[in-house]
Amino acid sequence: MVENDAFAAFGRRIIAAAGRRVGSGDVDALPDLAALSATVDDALAAAVTGLRRAGYSWSEIAARLGITRQAAHQRWGHLEPGTSA
């Protein structure tokens, strides 16, 4: 069994700690912190693509993210097979 809530909370704590570390003067780590944004975007795209492949609707995905179905489709719809970028 995967404990998603605990796992996600752990990730949030790590990212918050990285932000505090950079904010306390570790300017050299700023690019690494910024790169986390791209990593999270890639992970979210992979998750949405996997959910769509598993049969979840745009409405179901959007509801979990607190956005509209149209917004979800607009952001990730181009990732589905048979669609163009």
Side-chain angles (χ1 to χ4, degrees):
M1 173 191 237
V2 177
E3 297 178 12
N4 289 328
D5 292 340
F7 192 69
F10 176 66
R12 286 190 297 272
R13 286 194 307 273
I14 291 171
I15 293 169
R20 289 190 301 272
R21 181 177 178 160
V22 171
S24 69
D26 188 3
V27 70
D28 291 331
L30 186 58
D32 292 330
L33 182 60
L36 288 174
S37 177
T39 301
V40 170
D41 284 344
D42 290 346
L44 191 53
V48 169
T49 300
L51 290 170
R52 289 288 297 153
R53 210 175 294 126
Y56 287 87
S57 71
W58 285 114
S59 294
E60 291 171 299
I61 293 167
R64 298 304 193 292
L65 294 172
I67 61 176
T68 66
R69 178 192 61 77
Q70 291 87 352
H73 187 265
Q74 192 171 41
R75 183 166 177 185
W76 297 291
H78 69 280
L79 299 175
E80 290 191 300
T83 60
S84 59

